[in-house]
């Protein structure tokens, strides 16, 4: 059996991450044919050729359409800036390829809808690169909820924080321009939403408060320039299931590097998780003896599949990049028509709908319904 | 010099806590005369007499007015249920006594206003028992903010969680009745607000979402009864200073026992704190060398006064009850006309005003201004 | 019923700690008569008078024999430097008083034996101030072991670390003089030994390696002076029961403030504890479902008596000084002839015997048996 | 430039781990030619063929000598049980190949010496798979020590614990047979020794106490069988540099899954590390302001090379398997004659010498010198 032919557009960090995943998925899982790294595209032929060699692709191009139309290419990884996603994803789908596109779908919701329509029309697999949901422990949280380990879930909290915008003296750059989106809301918000959507289901209503920690930022030229996005977002959220809670997002949280904290409260227990310690989860359930109860620190282990495909011993730890290998396997599963743990363009659209509703609630000061 | 004469009303946990504090404040601090434990009141003469003996009071009564009018009593500790606070506090003030009343002031805001008016009219010291603000580390956080260690504070998060209402099978009791108040909002909300008011200043606008994890609760009789309060509250908050953030409260958070988490984000650093580890705080500031930066776990120590009055060695730990001893000392300082770290009836009124505004925002679905 | 008459010798930190405990034991526990603070002794009449006033004692003296012979005194708290313990404790016992003496017993083992003999002869209660064993969580560890929660205990580890000798530029002072003892070994070693003796039983054999991190220390005069004690001790230990393990002690561990870490390994589980987080313990036992197993963080709570005597709510935290209040209650229990959780002079002698055996093993390079 | 030709012997977990590393090293680092996965050997031709396909090797064999003599093979990864290492490594070296052999070298010290002699004779690169030393944070600890961040290091502690032998009811298997070695001592001891040797230098003297938590274990047949190895080892250690400390090892520590704890104490600070949280290290240094000092939790980041080759953002986390990719790169560096961070057969011999000295010290009850 010949492996899938892979085309890759974009070779920044996420492009490399996709390449590493395509490269490792067969030896890690041992149950699929090696994908063939066929065609790599980047902004110039020179850069593409250099990266193709480093990442192990056979062909290189400065025109992404070459990679999409290559007859040996079966699937296309799209890892370019968000604004390019709609054009590339739709073209790839129209060319009859399966698409693995980095998230979020598009800055503009209308474009995201066009992408979803494109996937429906092409009848090809089209998924988004929400890799956090692939963590064996995040998947185990889903299992715990499904099995009723924490009873009926009634409320949640989520936080996502980094500090790359925390310094007021950092120069103004595109992430502070309105054209880049809302700020933390879409830059970060889609991540906890991807997890919560998986675990809790669709969002019903939202109420957000966006904030600018710094009104202006210095420019290289000298004078300050007004910041147009919001580095901080605080959101009240209600899910269709009746679960409610809050989400808090900040790109200006000094000391936080890759923090995504979840707290899930149920009638029989509590689950918490912190992405900065992605190989641990905390679980509280009653054990019948109050004097010996407490939150358990559970270490990722072979009993949390597919951790076992990587390491046969517990507590040794997976890395962030390895989540992408799991995602590649799930993508292949979906292509093969097997049940897969992925967020496709349809589900992705729901995430973006929620984000835009949040922005609207901030503008109007009112709760906004996230109609389907 | 004779010590202050103390009257105490109520001998539940907080009554005992006040008694222990009055008893210990002189030997701990070594700079004030021993208060004299004069008169103790409880609901029956028998109970009062029994408790007076245990707690070391000279006289006992089943009528709280006796304790208030006792000429040897200079200060009155009020530790009865909230509904009794207005009547007792106002009577004590009118009798010319200083008042140390447990928080919150009163279920009804109008009564709280009457209490504040009573204190103004009597020109006596009237403070509320917000003991968390007395933790040397909470006070140190105030110092850090004041000295600019974390730069300009721009956002905050606060959580308060316990699990005494987490069990859906627990019988309906008064905390689920509307007459007890809003639920987590006033039961818990005043605690983080007391700390945040101290650290960040007055609240300007709020937007709350209250939730009932369980619609009904079983009754002893058998049939279920509808729950009238909200065990969960999620709140968006904006302070007059421009700081914004979120507060999350739950009495139904399995595994949480006395959690009060603060996160304070500034332009130069971040401070976090968890009351369940009340002898630690976390501080992130840049150190000029990225490879060696991280959150520092700072242990309470003699350099964080008045920890030094309790223990001359660092890292040995204070207890929750000992915060009340510090509070007693601050109360005495205020009485002596010295600068004191307390929340008096005026400041307490602002906290309750914010709580009622939160409840209103939930009812209306709109942001509510916390007018002064 | 009249309370015990208390004499106190020494008013440094431990003296204050004893005074606070005598002062609080009745209101905290509510089941004993208030001790009467009768007579306080310190090195000068002036200091004693000043401290008697601050700590609430009726009489003061510059001659400790006055406190011991005072007919109103029933029990004597001895909190002076170790070298004075034998003389004072034996005199107090001979005067017919019960004795509560701070640990360790004496620098010289022969003196410690004389103290134990004195207690036997006087038939009075004589206990040592090993307060760490009074922590409700340490007592709960004993209960867990006794009930077989972790099965048969087979090995242990203990560490005790502070950093007051960590700075090589700190001036030479008496703790570096041979006359003060061995160094970390006796200064610290008695603490983990007091806990381990309670939990595991008597020590059989030891093998120690003592170390000097700094050969010399500066003197006020200028030139360096040779250090005569060992700030670090590493010890292999075998208990009579067959349990084995290691103890590690350091007064030169930068950043450690009051660290006492225990790890107790059994055939069915593991218990760990860190004194710097004295309101938590960690427990691992199998729960029958590997994917949900992990160390549980158990917070001190009313189910861990006598925490309940201090606070009726879980997770609120006791302080270091409050352990002394529990110790006072246990001392009173022993005096009343009730079962008490204390280390008396006999048991204390075993601890000191083990320490001296460790020092000998270092000198000889051989395992040393701790003969009874 | 053609990449190195790789031969691999053994396809258990470590074999897979080597294959994944050879497969990923070029795209991760981007500065070396892709190794060619040439020849894979396992115990049967069928298994070898199956694994070659899964792991991406061109040729397969049931006879490991085929892989070694294959002219297209430049380097041989040896991942078979320890007893086979000497024969295979020496043969590969004699065949003119570079060797990457999993640790430890051999059960018998004489064999290990023969391996080192073989490497010297062949003048080929021969390294051992001590992957923990490749963790960017472990390497950063080395940098911190080298730069004097914690001053002069004077003492250390190391622990390594897992729980796969913790259950007394687990059946007797080969790890309890004397032929497998000493037990925890060699099974685990080489890991902390590999790190300590890198960080602190050569070992001078050791004193060990080995322990059997369970005298017998059940057999499949029924009756109990006497355990011949020691699942627990406690060791006192002195390094040539004067540093001293202790090492504690247990395969019977319930709840520990991959714990390797290091504590490194210096005259200016302390470093600690726990392999179960391999993306964090703790550092204490004085900051000139006691009230803000504490252990800093430092998250792995691009400033800790070669983390940056994997992920350009801080705090996202590497996995255990990814350490092997770093090790592959270092092996290639050594082959290219560049400075490399590896443990070659010579250094590996020193580690094994220390282990055997520990065993001897246990037998004799005396300190044993680790002569070079």
């Amino acid at each position: 059996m010949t492996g899938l032919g892979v085309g890759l557009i974009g070779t920044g960090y996420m492009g490399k991450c996709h390449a590493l995943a395509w490269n490792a998925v067969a030896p890690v899982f041992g149950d699929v044919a090696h994908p063939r790294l066929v065609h790599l595209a980047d902004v110039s032929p020179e850069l593409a050729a250099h990266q193709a060699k480093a990442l192990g692709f056979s062909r290189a191009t400065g025109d992404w359409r070459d990679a999409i139309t290559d007859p040996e290419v079966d699937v296309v990884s799209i890892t370019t800036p968000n604004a390019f996603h709609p054009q590339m994803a739709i073209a790839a789908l129209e060319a009859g390829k399966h698409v693995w596109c980095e998230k979020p779908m598009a800055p503009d919701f209308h474009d995201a809808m066009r992408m979803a329509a494109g996937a429906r029309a092409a009848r090809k697999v089209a998924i988004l690169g929400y890799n956090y949901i692939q963590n064996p422990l995040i998947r185990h949280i889903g299992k715990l909820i499904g099995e009723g380990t924490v009873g009926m879930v009634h409320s949640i909290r989520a936080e996502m924080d980094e500090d790359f915008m925390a310094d007021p003296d950092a120069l103004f750059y595109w992430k502070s321009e309105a054209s880049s989106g809302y700020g933390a809301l879409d830059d970060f918000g889609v991540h906890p939403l991807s997890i919560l959507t998986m675990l809790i289901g669709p969002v019903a209503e939202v109420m957000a408060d966006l904030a600018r920690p710094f009104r202006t930022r210095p420019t290289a030229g000298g004078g300050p320039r007004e910041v147009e996005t919001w580095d901080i977002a605080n959101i009240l959220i209600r899910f269709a299931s009746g679960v409610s809670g809050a989400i808090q997002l900040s790109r200006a949280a000094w000391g936080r590097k890759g923090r995504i904290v979840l707290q899930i409260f149920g009638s029989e227990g509590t689950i918490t998780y912190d992405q900065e310690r992605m190989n641990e989860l905390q679980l509280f359930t009653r054990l019948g003896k109050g004097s010996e109860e407490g939150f358990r620190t559970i270490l990722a282990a072979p009993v949390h599949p597919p951790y076992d495909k990587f390491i046969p011993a517990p507590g040794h730890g997976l890395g962030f990049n390895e989540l992408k290998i799991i995602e590649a396997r799930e993508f292949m599963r979906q292509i093969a028509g097997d049940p897969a743990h992925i967020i496709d363009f349809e589900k992705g659209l729901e995430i973006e709908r929620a984000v835009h509703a949040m922005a609207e609630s901030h503008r109007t000061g009112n709760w906004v319904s996230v109609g389907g």
Side-chain angles (χ1 to χ4, degrees), chain A:
Chain A
M1 191 184 77
T2 317
L4 287 170
V6 175
L8 169 63
I9 313 179
T11 61
Y13 169 46
M14 270 300 134
K16 179 172 174 175
C17 206
H18 276 240
L20 290 171
W22 283 122
N23 195 46
V25 66
V28 165
F29 282 88
D31 60 357
V32 284
H34 279 262
R36 292 165 296 114
L37 307 193
V38 175
H39 214 138
L40 182 147
D42 212 318
V43 287
S44 77
E46 294 73 25
L47 177 58
H50 178 266
Q51 293 286 59
K53 198 179 160 198
L55 300 175
F57 278 78
S58 306
R59 290 193 277 280
T61 174
D63 180 354
W64 58 271
R65 292 187 185 274
D66 294 343
I68 277 177
T69 54
D70 188 324
E72 285 188 46
V73 164
D74 302 306
V75 299
V76 179
S77 281
I78 301 174
T79 70
T80 51
N82 308 344
F84 296 97
H85 291 177
Q87 180 184 19
M88 292 173 175
I90 292 168
L93 288 162
E94 285 175 353
K97 316 298 189 185
H98 303 295
V99 170
W100 183 11
C101 182
E102 275 307 303
K103 82 285 132 196
M105 297 175 85
D108 186 86
F109 186 63
H110 186 255
D111 285 332
M113 285 196 292
R114 285 177 45 231
M115 290 170 72
R120 275 193 300 272
R123 295 166 158 270
K124 288 288 164 184
V125 171
I127 73 161
L128 293 160
Y130 282 111
N131 48 317
Y132 292 115
I133 66 167
Q134 304 299 346
N135 185 334
L137 288 183
I138 293 288
R139 291 169 70 162
H140 190 64
I141 292 173
K143 186 158 175 280
L144 291 172
I145 293 173
E147 290 173 348
T149 305
V150 292
M152 179 204 68
V153 172
H154 52 66
S155 52
I156 60 92
R157 294 179 198 158
E159 298 170 80
M160 179 162 180
D161 302 306
E162 299 195 10
D163 66 1
F164 59 88
M165 303 293 270
D167 186 353
D169 297 330
L171 290 188
F172 188 101
Y173 80 128
W174 65 269
K175 287 229 172 187
S176 293
E177 284 186 56
S179 64
S180 72
Y182 307 117
L185 185 57
D186 40 351
D187 197 11
F188 279 13
V190 294
H191 287 296
L193 279 171
S194 71
I195 301 171
L196 290 171
T197 297
M198 269 292 178
L199 297 176
I200 310 293
V203 178
E205 289 176 286
V206 294
M207 171 72 222
D209 187 29
L210 311 184
R212 286 192 183 99
F214 315 115
R215 297 256 146 216
T216 63
R217 285 189 177 276
T219 56
R225 180 170 162 189
E226 195 137 339
V227 171
E228 298 162 4
T229 54
W230 287 270
D231 293 332
I232 293 171
N234 295 303
I235 302 145
L236 304 179
I237 189 165
R238 295 173 186 158
F239 292 83
S241 61
V243 171
S244 68
I247 300 177
Q248 288 138 106
L249 312 167
S250 177
R251 314 191 290 198
W254 273 120
R256 301 307 189 191
K257 303 303 180 183
R259 189 172 188 254
I260 304 180
V261 165
L262 300 176
Q263 298 184 66
I264 296 164
F265 303 101
S267 58
E268 301 294 330
T270 298
I271 301 167
T272 76
Y273 172 82
D274 181 351
Q275 177 67 29
E276 284 182 353
R277 287 178 172 168
M278 62 174 274
N279 289 290
E280 298 180 13
L281 71 82
Q282 302 274 331
L283 172 65
F284 180 94
T285 60
R286 281 176 293 169
L287 300 172
K289 204 169 179 193
S291 55
E292 272 91 271
E293 288 177 0
F295 276 88
R296 279 169 257 162
T297 302
I298 301 170
L299 300 181
V303 284
H304 308 110
Y307 176 101
D308 56 310
K309 299 298 181 186
F310 293 82
I311 312 173
H316 281 58
L318 298 188
F320 176 83
N321 282 355
E322 293 175 313
L323 303 184
K324 216 75 194 172
I325 304 175
I326 303 176
E327 192 172 271
R329 186 67 194 87
E330 294 297 324
F331 182 33
M332 295 168 85
R333 229 183 275 281
Q334 181 84 345
I335 290 170
D338 296 329
H341 183 76
I342 49 95
I343 289 181
D344 62 15
F345 281 16
E346 293 299 333
K347 283 192 221 152
L349 202 58
E350 294 314 303
I351 292 171
E352 316 232 344
R353 200 188 300 275
V355 165
H356 291 287
M358 289 166 183
E360 187 190 334
S361 75
H362 172 70
R363 272 195 309 275
T364 62
N366 294 319
W367 282 86
V368 173
S369 166
V370 185

